[in-house]
Amino acid sequence: MAGDSVKARNGTMVAYTGQMNFKKMSGGGDGLRGMVTRRLTGEQMEVMEVKGQGTCYFADRATEVNLVRLNGETLYVESDNLLCTEATLHTGTSFTGLNGMASGNGLFTTKVEGHGWAALTSKGPAIILRVSQGMPLRVDPGAYVAHTGNLNRNLKSGAGWTTLIGEGGGEAMQVEFSGEGLVYVQPSEKMTFGGDV
Amino acid sequence: MSYPPQQPPYGQQPYPPQGQPYPPQGQPYPPQGQPYPPQGQQQYQQAYQQTQAAMQMPPQGQFGAPLPQAAGGAGPTVHDVNSLPVNDNVNPYAFSVDLNGSYYLQKGKMIAYYGEIRFSGIGRGVIDQMLERNFNSPLHASDWVVAEGRGKLLLADRAFDLNSYDLENGNLTVRSGNLLAFEPTLQLKQSIIPGFLTLIGTGKFVAASNGPVHFVEPPIRVDPQALVGWADCPAPCHHYDHSYMHGLIGGLRHLTGLGGASGEEHQFEFIGAGQVLLQSTETLMAERSVGQVHAEAGVPGSGVPHQPGGHGGQQLPNVNVPGLGNVNLGDLGRRFGF
């Protein structure tokens, strides 16, 4: 860093060299409107602005850190998984609809837009899977981390009457991505409602 | 029996680790003074020279630190249905199955898939017939799921290390919590050792471990918590450090901790020819129920459906001294020579 700034989740700085200032940004650093939106949507994120000269290291509970370069695209990421972004990126919330709720990820997700680097955390290194026309991808909601590109999310339910009597396939909830884009999955599953059925 | 210990523990085709956008182990942070997207690619790649030697190398520069120009704004390793490995690891923690037919997996271990795949619980319809072929005991079958169809299936388990193994007309016994998935050409049997499952036949299976797996050959004594499984050799026996635990002093030491107990007085001992699989931590994976055995005389573990901790039968048989009650005195009595 040379005088520029980085937005990072609160408490994720582990070490730095040089001169750094840490400033808490209220409401996810999206301004007043963003703050209100975040409050309302529950997709809350404690964010700080780090500014200064030198090298600053971020980490979170020894999870893997994955760098994503954005060139004007939009990255949709679970707020739990967003570690830090360059100041050139804007964050916001986006509505995922009932899909998110049913899979236990909440109704809203965090949107990152602009040009620059974003760092995502994942339990185990994230695997990047390409989705293209005619090649949809289905993901366990607990393993989903983020996605970019022009993708449709659909909830696919494999639950049938056997699920009710406890003989389900264990993968009753899947999120289907179709369109063009990339999906980041982690080799681990968060505890979600969907992962448990 | 093909149990190639010389095979790299993550399968025949090592995943390309240099493709990961995170800095590899051994060099946890980019060298000082460099901006975060590390330019020190050369060093990173050197760290993996050994692993790269055996596999087909992608052109240099395609992998490494993510390049700002990367298409799609993503990190360098982007997998799609064709580039995902066939029945091999994607990275140490995820395994890709090229499914054409059926595969058994533990419930809830699928993270993503391409193609048309159905997941059905075991124990109904046509699957019932497969069940008969592949599971000896229907009692633990509800923990397993059949994936049927065509496509690429990604498996992972809480970011534990995954390894695939090939059995050729062999047998392998593995801790129940560690077994993740197996081909239907293999038969899954409940071992008479509580908490363990035995796979018999020819085929591939995937097992999870906490840290990479090491293969060692008997004779060897291993720590109970580090044991993942064993192949071909006779089932292990308990071994106690006799001199340390023997007699009055040993008993006092054991009970009070005075004089120090190293915590390593008890081991599993393996003899004969075969392979023993060890994990590199002593953190056990949560045990899966393997099903209850019929309460019957002569059947080990019967009447004890599930022993937590995984080292069933660790206690010495209690021989109670008449009149002294049942408070573990049999053990004590032996120790102190009552």
Side-chain angles (χ1 to χ4, degrees):
Chain A
M1 261 187 266
D4 51 346
S5 69
V6 162
K7 273 194 272 186
R9 205 160 74 219
N10 262 7
T12 54
M13 190 276 292
V14 289
Y16 68 92
T17 58
Q19 282 294 322
M20 293 283 166
N21 289 310
F22 300 89
K23 195 177 98 187
K24 183 177 189 308
M25 298 172 91
S26 312
D30 311 327
L32 188 62
R33 191 163 159 269
M35 188 164 97
V36 174
T37 328
R38 279 194 183 277
R39 273 288 147 77
L40 288 177
T41 55
E43 189 81 1
Q44 278 162 12
M45 220 170 39
E46 297 271 288
V47 176
M48 60 186 177
E49 186 192 43
V50 186
K51 204 171 192 169
Q53 306 266 349
T55 313
C56 189
Y57 300 106
F58 298 102
D60 182 28
R61 281 169 288 169
T63 48
E64 295 284 338
V65 178
N66 306 272
L67 290 178
V68 182
R69 171 84 197 177
L70 291 179
N71 289 316
E73 300 98 337
T74 307
L75 173 78
Y76 297 90
V77 57
E78 290 299 315
S79 63
D80 294 346
N81 294 97
L82 188 62
L83 181 67
C84 57
T85 61
E86 278 190 298
T88 47
L89 292 171
H90 300 283
T91 50
T93 42
S94 106
F95 182 68
T96 58
L98 288 173
N99 299 339
M101 190 173 81
S103 60
N105 285 340
L107 273 171
F108 296 89
T109 191
T110 296
K111 198 165 67 174
V112 183
E113 294 170 298
H115 295 259
W117 290 91
L120 313 179
T121 56
S122 60
K123 186 125 191 296
I127 300 161
I128 309 163
L129 296 167
R130 185 186 299 283
V131 178
S132 52
Q133 287 301 341
M135 201 173 66
L137 175 74
R138 291 175 192 124
V139 176
D140 190 294
Y144 166 78
V145 174
H147 74 266
T148 62
N150 186 19
L151 287 176
N152 293 318
R153 275 163 76 124
N154 280 307
L155 192 72
K156 195 173 165 272
S157 168
W161 62 274
T162 47
T163 313
L164 298 176
I165 60 167
E167 293 210 336
E171 309 290 0
M173 295 290 180
Q174 293 150 17
V175 186
E176 183 180 74
F177 288 94
S178 53
E180 298 275 346
L182 301 170
V183 179
Y184 293 72
V185 293
Q186 60 186 358
S188 173
E189 297 186 350
K190 277 185 292 200
M191 271 326 210
T192 60
F193 167 68
D196 218 27
V197 181
Chain B
M1 168 65 204
S2 93
Y3 207 75
Q6 66 272 36
Q7 168 191 341
Y10 296 131
Q12 298 85 344
Q13 291 178 320
Y15 50 94
Q18 74 279 40
Q20 308 295 341
Y22 59 93
Q25 298 154 1
Q27 206 158 2
Y29 294 105
Q32 274 215 1
Q34 292 200 338
Y36 191 64
Q39 261 101 55
Q41 287 183 40
Q42 291 305 327
Q43 297 161 13
Y44 290 165
Q45 295 192 338
Q46 272 165 13
Y48 282 98
Q49 283 303 326
Q50 294 92 335
T51 45
Q52 285 171 12
M55 66 181 183
Q56 67 278 35
M57 263 294 289
Q60 291 250 344
Q62 182 185 338
F63 291 94
L67 302 171
Q69 305 92 325
T77 31
V78 177
H79 293 285
D80 61 25
V81 67
N82 297 315
S83 74
L84 275 175
V86 175
N87 293 329
D88 205 349
N89 277 66
V90 183
N91 66 29
Y93 317 103
F95 186 85
S96 161
V97 176
D98 186 16
L99 189 71
N100 189 0
S102 56
Y103 220 85
Y104 287 106
L105 40 137
Q106 256 191 19
K107 246 182 197 175
K109 303 304 178 202
M110 178 277 286
I111 56 166
Y113 68 92
Y114 289 109
E116 277 303 321
I117 299 176
R118 282 186 317 281
F119 298 89
S120 19
I122 287 178
R124 61 198 175 89
V126 193
I127 294 162
D128 218 24
Q129 291 162 16
M130 293 166 68
L131 179 71
E132 208 177 331
R133 242 188 3 253
N134 290 292
F135 290 85
N136 71 317
S137 144
L139 295 163
H140 64 270
S142 62
D143 283 334
W144 292 87
V145 169
V146 193
E148 288 174 294
R150 294 175 69 96
K152 285 272 177 71
L153 175 63
L154 282 178
L155 304 175
D157 185 10
R158 290 161 288 165
F160 285 122
D161 287 67
L162 301 191
N163 296 280
S164 67
Y165 307 91
D166 288 302
L167 274 183
E168 215 171 276
N169 220 347
N171 75 79
L172 181 135
T173 305
V174 64
R175 206 179 275 281
S176 62
N178 292 62
L179 184 63
L180 206 71
F182 62 97
E183 278 182 356
T185 49
L186 286 168
Q187 294 185 3
L188 185 71
K189 306 272 184 191
Q190 177 181 359
S191 170
I192 67 164
I193 298 164
F196 282 83
L197 296 166
T198 302
L199 285 161
I200 299 177
T202 303
K204 196 185 261 290
F205 69 95
V206 184
S209 62
N210 210 330
V213 159
H214 301 280
F215 295 88
V216 283
E217 282 188 27
I220 189 170
R221 292 182 186 141
V222 305
D223 190 285
Q225 283 121 58
L227 179 67
V228 172
W230 62 92
D232 281 349
C233 48
C237 34
H238 295 283
H239 176 87
Y240 292 90
D241 192 343
H242 188 74
S243 61
Y244 205 78
M245 299 182 64
H246 178 71
L248 186 61
I249 301 295
L252 280 176
R253 226 187 237 146
H254 180 82
L255 286 175
T256 60
L258 288 179
S262 69
E264 305 285 3
E265 289 88 3
H266 176 219
Q267 300 103 31
F268 290 160
E269 179 163 352
F270 288 89
I271 51 159
Q275 295 287 330
V276 181
L277 282 69
L278 300 179
Q279 63 181 8
S280 36
T281 68
E282 296 195 355
T283 314
L284 286 173
M285 320 234 342
E287 191 167 320
R288 286 255 153 185
S289 158
V290 292
Q292 202 168 341
V293 285
H294 248 43
E296 207 181 314
V299 178
S302 60
V304 191
H306 177 79
Q307 287 185 322
H311 17 110
Q314 190 179 6
Q315 295 150 339
L316 291 163
N318 257 348
V319 183
N320 284 314
V321 182
L324 283 179
N326 198 15
V327 202
N328 210 15
L329 272 177
D331 197 19
L332 267 184
R334 284 188 162 199
R335 265 180 210 290
F336 296 112
F338 288 158

